[in-house]
Amino acid sequence: MAHEHRTFRIYGRVQGVFFRQSAKQEARLLGLTGYARNNDDNTVTIEAEGPAETLNKLAAWCQHGPSTAKVERVEEAVGKVQGYTEFEVRR
């Protein structure tokens, strides 16, 4: 099955609400690789790789995130596969 790379930028109340750690748990449950990190503008970036169907599930999750988050919008872009071997939280 072909792997894809997607970058999600999540806006709203997404820092200080365990968004990155929850994204890591969700991505690992889905079998995806990549990372989640906070940005200086109070957004969160998730880069993830895996099958398109599974990335679509992560995209749907990003629309709401963990129960403590308040997602306003999500920007999504397709990129070049980087070959991540696990999913991690970055600072």
Side-chain angles (χ1 to χ4, degrees):
M1 194 177 281
H3 274 51
E4 292 184 6
H5 175 100
R6 293 196 203 163
T7 301
F8 304 95
R9 187 142 190 180
I10 302 99
Y11 295 80
R13 188 177 54 137
V14 294
Q15 289 191 12
V17 294
F18 298 101
F19 202 102
R20 291 176 301 156
Q21 189 63 36
S22 297
K24 177 181 173 180
Q25 289 177 316
E26 186 69 17
R28 286 188 169 176
L29 281 173
L30 293 170
L32 299 171
T33 58
Y35 67 87
R37 74 162 190 257
N38 284 339
N39 300 310
D40 291 340
D41 64 356
N42 295 319
T43 62
V44 169
T45 293
I46 296 173
E47 289 200 20
E49 295 182 348
E53 183 177 307
T54 309
L55 287 167
N56 290 342
K57 292 178 183 178
L58 181 64
W61 180 88
C62 286
Q63 295 296 324
H64 57 80
S67 61
T68 51
K70 184 175 186 326
V71 176
E72 293 175 2
R73 79 177 194 272
V74 178
E75 295 176 354
E76 184 177 338
V78 176
K80 182 179 177 190
V81 173
Q82 302 295 307
Y84 299 119
T85 59
E86 64 180 356
F87 197 97
E88 62 185 14
V89 172
R90 295 185 179 175
R91 299 198 183 270

